[in-house]
Every structure is written in structure tokens, then in C-alpha cells.
Amino acid sequence: MPQTTVCRWLPQDPAIIEAFVSNLLVHSRIIHGRNPRTRERIANVGENLETVTSRAGIKFDLGCLRHHYRITIGQEQVYTVRALDPIVQEFQDYIEREGVVYAAFNEMFEQAPPPQNEDQEKIEDYVDLMEMIDTNLTTAPSFGEGVSAMVAAVPYYGIISRFCNTPAGYNAFTHPGVNERFCRVFTAWHDYLTSAASTNVIHDGEDGWLSTAALNAMVQSAGGNPEQDTFDNFFICDTSDPHYGFKSYDELFVRELKAIHRAVIFPDDPAIVNSACSSTVHKLYYNLQRTDRFWIKNTPYSLNHILAEDDLVDTFVNGTLIQAMLGSLDYHRWRSPVSGTVVKTRLISGATHPNPPPTYYAACLDDDHTDLDVVSRSQDFVTAISTRALIFIQADEPVGLMCFVGVGLGEVSTCNTVVREGQVLKKGDELGAFHFGGSTHCLIFRPGLTVTPVDQDGNDLVGSKVRVGKDILTVASQN
């Protein structure tokens, strides 16, 4: 079972992230015809890599590159030097053309802390970075055991994380033109992750999502005991199919739990609020303000920014918010935490709403240069700048009007809402889902309510992992 850390995407030990990046960087340089150590060009686009590596005296198992190429089982393994995808090439051209962006993409390499292991390869410049982004365009996340699995699940974030907590990195990753190009990259990756080609990671071999270790990890993340429960007892699948019936990586990512494993606790009690997602509770926050300084340490939440200046913002001033974070192995569908009626839904692109693109990798800067997981440390901050889905629900009393906020973070984390205005909901009805990447969510309540956390197996709610449908809050009117 992969070890996870409360409210984290990346392992706390930077050496694990650096090892992942170094390994991927070696693959990327070879794929793009460069010596993995000296970075000098050793081949032209289209040349056979077996010939190239032999000619250059580079000892490397080309089989390690299989999952970076669209090679299906039974197909001949032929690896050739790749050019940048046109989308990535345009991204690189943009960096070189725009002075401010060019400066930021050079300065962040100077400002970032050096890797701990000097013997490992490190990203030297934006050329390395663009080639790694290109390499990953045809690579679905594979499964790995231990904390290294955390970074493998969010590869783009792992690649970029060393530069996020720098002033230049912040300037680069909040620049609208940069995020527009990240959006194009991730749209292309989205196309790959929803294609049949992405099933090349859904197998029972090493690093495969149907390996015993992977199946056990997904069962345990959903609240099961791998020694007693099997994947097909927990999730809807077809074990007679080589890919268990999943036609793409994304179908596996949004796999559906069987109803018994997402059953709602106290389904008929309107004073109980249930968990909308399988997630780890990050914070319970009272006395919400309409506008606050969400970019500082110990970040307060800023309603006007989270709700994108919605005309219902004032309804929640002085109210309560609970936020929880989803891990890569978690169940990524959202289910209604209350019974009631959908008032309205909105999809917010990010910091520049209502226009795209989202803001993918900006984080609240601090002085901690050893922990690379800056976006996870900025959970409150990202609720105001990232892609998010708003679902306002008029819940049965005593809850009244509340709002579910799904926040898509990094990679291609897409918010897909499946409910409509006026739809009547029962607790546990599906609201939507996250796709492709990490995510977090909030439940926001109006003032005039006493919102009390429910202990989880004797532990405080904040910091606890809760399954979807679990009772997490009690609500009572103060009138």
C-alpha cells in the first residue's frame, strides 16, 4: 500500500521527488536525441534510438521507454527520436518571444534550491523542461509502491514543484499567457488519457494498475481491508476483460464504487452533513469574510474570490467552511452531502474568471525551501485561483442554502458537473467528478448555524481520512 501523508500530493522527502525527476529527465533527453549526461545533441528527429545509443556508446535499456510511446501489447517496439509536439514547440517559442516570460523561466532555475544529490540529473533550463513536458504527453500515470507513487500520480507537478516556491516561478505560473499554454498542453494530455492507448498502464505487470499491489491500494484507499476485500467487490468492473472493462486511464481514475461502499450514514437526518468525497479533512474555518488577504501565510479564506463574485456571496459572510483534499487513489466522484434542491451551478476557470485559462501551479510563497509540495501547503490559497465548480444547494432545514465547491488543481484536474438547476437531490446523489489530477473541495454554510465536527473513530475530524457518505458535521440553528 503506498504511504500517504495527510493533505499532501508529494512526499515530504525531496530526494524522492528528485529521483523521479532525474529518471524521467534521462528518458526525456534520450527520446529527444540528446546525451542524457552531457545534454549534447547526438541524433536527428526520426533516427532509430537503438542505433543512436549504440553509436554514442550509451548503455540504456530502451524497453524503459515503452510507456512513453504509443506501443500496444503485441506491437513491434521501435523507438525513434521525437520532435516536440507542435503544442509544446509553440510553448517554447512563446517563452523565447515574450521578454517577461523569458526572464521568469530563466530566473526560476537560478532561484530554485539545488537538488540534494549532485550525482542525479537535474532540469537545467526551459529546454529540458519543455522536453519533459513533451515526453509526458503520451504517458499515463503508472502505479508504484511506496511514497514515490505520490509523485508518479502527478508527474507534471513533480517536474515543476522545485520552481513553484520562487518569486520568478510565481511570476511565470501566474502569467496568463503561460497558463494558456499549459491549458493547451493539458488538453492534449486529456485527449491521450481518454484514449484507448492510455490503457497500456492498466495491466497486472510491474507498475500496472491491475497488479496485486495496485488493486490492494485502491481498495484500502476506499476504506476496505485488502486481506479480506477484493477490487471487484468494491468497484464496478469486468474482471473477464484484460483491462477490467476500463477503456482508458480516465475511466479507471473515475471508477465507480459499488453502492454498499458509498452508503450514506443517517440518510434521513437533515441535521447531519455527510462527506461529499473520499478525502482527508484539511481545515474547518469559521467566521468567513467577504474579502480577505488569501495570499498570506496562515491563509484566511476570501469568499468573494472563492465564489467568483457570485450574487450569493453575502449569504455566506460570517458562515463556516470545511475543506478536504483528495489523493490520487481516492474515489473522485462527488456526492451530495445533503438532501435539497440545486439552486444553480457555475464553472469558474481560475484567477481570470470567467475567461480561461485556469491557474495551475501558483502557490502561496513561504520560506520553506526543503518541502517541495507547495501547492498542498497552499490549499486555502488555491480555492481562490484555480478551476472550480460551484453547486449551490437549498438543503432541508436546518442547513438551508449551502455551496459545494470542487477545486481542480494542477495537471488536467477537470471539474465535471452532472446536476442542473432545479434538480431535487437526496443525500448521496452524484453531483459530478474530478478527472485526471489532484483536487480539493469545500462545503460552505451560511451564518446563524452551529456547525460541529463529528469525531472519526475517536480522532478529530480535521486530519482524518473520511470515505464518501460518512457523517462529518452536525448542524443546528442558533435561532
Side-chain angles (χ1 to χ4, degrees):
M1 165 66 185
Q3 302 172 29
T4 56
T5 308
V6 172
C7 293
R8 298 186 65 86
W9 279 356
L10 297 177
Q12 192 162 6
D13 184 357
I16 296 170
I17 305 170
E18 291 163 4
F20 169 85
V21 171
S22 177
N23 182 65
L24 182 60
L25 182 57
V26 168
H27 292 191
S28 177
R29 287 176 179 168
I30 290 176
I31 286 170
H32 292 91
R34 293 199 291 147
N35 186 301
R37 305 302 177 191
T38 66
R39 303 177 67 221
E40 67 177 329
R41 181 154 300 283
I42 56 175
N44 297 316
V45 172
E47 286 193 65
N48 186 295
L49 278 175
E50 184 174 2
T51 302
V52 169
T53 53
S54 176
R55 184 177 67 214
I58 297 172
K59 294 182 179 181
F60 183 81
D61 179 9
L62 293 178
C64 296
L65 303 180
R66 181 185 183 92
H67 62 294
H68 299 306
Y69 287 80
R70 298 194 182 203
I71 298 174
T72 57
I73 294 175
Q75 183 180 359
E76 183 182 2
Q77 299 182 29
V78 178
Y79 305 103
T80 58
V81 177
R82 277 193 348 209
L84 293 181
D85 184 280
I87 291 173
V88 182
Q89 183 63 62
E90 195 281 330
F91 195 164
Q92 180 167 314
D93 293 343
Y94 179 78
I95 292 172
E96 294 172 347
R97 184 174 68 247
E98 296 294 323
V100 172
V101 174
Y102 181 75
F105 268 85
N106 280 280
E107 289 171 1
M108 68 184 184
F109 291 95
E110 299 173 1
Q111 296 172 358
Q116 295 179 344
N117 187 343
E118 295 182 356
D119 295 329
Q120 289 179 333
E121 297 302 311
K122 69 174 183 176
I123 304 173
E124 298 285 353
D125 54 26
Y126 67 85
V127 174
D128 267 344
L129 183 60
M130 290 297 110
E131 289 182 350
M132 292 185 76
I133 286 173
D134 181 80
T135 297
N136 216 60
L137 273 184
T138 53
T139 308
S142 56
F143 175 79
E145 295 191 78
V147 290
S148 60
M150 295 172 71
V151 63
V154 282
Y156 282 107
Y157 180 36
I159 293 167
I160 291 169
S161 61
R162 189 163 65 95
F163 315 110
C164 287
N165 198 35
T166 65
Y170 183 90
N171 290 338
F173 301 138
T174 54
H175 191 284
V178 170
N179 281 305
E180 181 180 348
R181 280 148 184 87
F182 269 130
C183 186
R184 294 173 189 171
V185 167
F186 296 149
T187 298
W189 198 41
H190 162 279
D191 291 341
Y192 178 72
L193 296 182
T194 55
S195 73
S198 67
T199 59
N200 64 357
V201 296
I202 306 178
H203 58 78
D204 60 5
E206 184 179 359
D207 296 333
W209 284 101
L210 300 185
S211 64
T212 299
L215 296 176
N216 288 345
M218 288 184 278
V219 166
Q220 185 161 345
S221 182
N225 180 351
E227 295 181 0
Q228 301 174 353
D229 304 311
T230 61
F231 182 87
D232 56 308
N233 285 336
F234 256 73
F235 297 97
I236 297 173
C237 62
D238 177 8
T239 56
S240 67
D241 182 83
H243 304 301
Y244 275 29
F246 299 114
K247 294 179 173 56
S248 68
Y249 172 80
D250 181 56
E251 283 198 10
L252 173 69
F253 188 81
V254 296
R255 60 193 175 274
E256 178 61 282
L257 279 167
K258 291 188 173 180
I260 191 173
H261 297 299
R262 51 177 171 78
V264 174
I265 306 297
F266 303 117
D268 300 318
D269 188 343
I272 296 289
V273 174
N274 299 80
S275 179
C277 301
S278 293
S279 50
T280 301
V281 180
H282 169 66
K283 187 175 291 186
L284 184 61
Y285 192 90
Y286 298 96
N287 195 30
L288 290 165
Q289 297 302 300
R290 192 179 203 284
T291 304
D292 220 325
R293 297 179 298 164
F294 63 87
W295 55 89
I296 61 174
K297 286 186 182 181
N298 300 317
T299 336
Y301 292 88
S302 180
L303 273 173
N304 202 43
H305 294 93
I306 296 172
L307 301 182
E309 301 175 335
D310 193 89
D311 55 14
L312 292 175
V313 166
D314 289 338
T315 307
F316 299 102
V317 173
N318 297 320
T320 303
L321 176 150
I322 186 169
Q323 183 177 10
M325 182 178 174
L326 288 75
S328 61
L329 293 176
D330 285 332
Y331 175 72
H332 275 77
R333 301 186 187 224
W334 324 325
R335 294 196 168 269
S336 185
V338 295
S339 296
T341 302
V342 177
V343 174
K344 67 175 173 180
T345 67
R346 289 182 62 189
L347 179 63
I348 311 302
S349 291
T352 57
H353 72 270
N355 301 311
T359 303
Y360 293 100
Y361 295 112
C364 191
L365 300 180
D366 62 24
D367 298 324
D368 188 347
H369 294 291
T370 57
D371 185 356
L372 300 182
D373 195 3
V374 294
V375 173
S376 292
R377 292 207 311 273
S378 305
Q379 287 291 292
D380 339 46
F381 176 79
V382 296
T383 61
I385 66 169
S386 300
T387 297
R388 50 211 185 275
L390 312 180
I391 303 176
F392 296 89
I393 303 171
Q394 184 64 46
D396 296 343
E397 292 295 331
V399 173
L401 185 66
M402 58 87 62
C403 185
F404 169 89
V405 183
V407 184
L409 303 175
E411 320 302 88
V412 201
S413 192
T414 301
C415 298
N416 179 38
T417 301
V418 299
V419 294
R420 65 187 185 281
E421 182 178 337
Q423 183 173 336
V424 176
L425 300 172
K426 291 294 185 183
K427 285 186 182 183
D429 286 350
E430 187 170 358
L431 299 177
F434 293 116
H435 292 258
F436 316 118
S439 30
T440 186
H441 78 288
C442 303
L443 304 178
I444 302 177
F445 303 92
R446 62 191 173 93
L449 300 174
T450 299
V451 179
T452 305
V454 175
D455 286 351
Q456 305 295 308
D457 298 323
N459 298 313
D460 290 343
L461 175 63
V462 174
S464 292
K465 174 73 177 290
V466 293
R467 72 163 180 83
V468 65
K470 186 71 172 65
D471 54 321
I472 56 172
L473 301 170
T474 62
V475 177
S477 175
Q478 296 175 353
N479 297 331

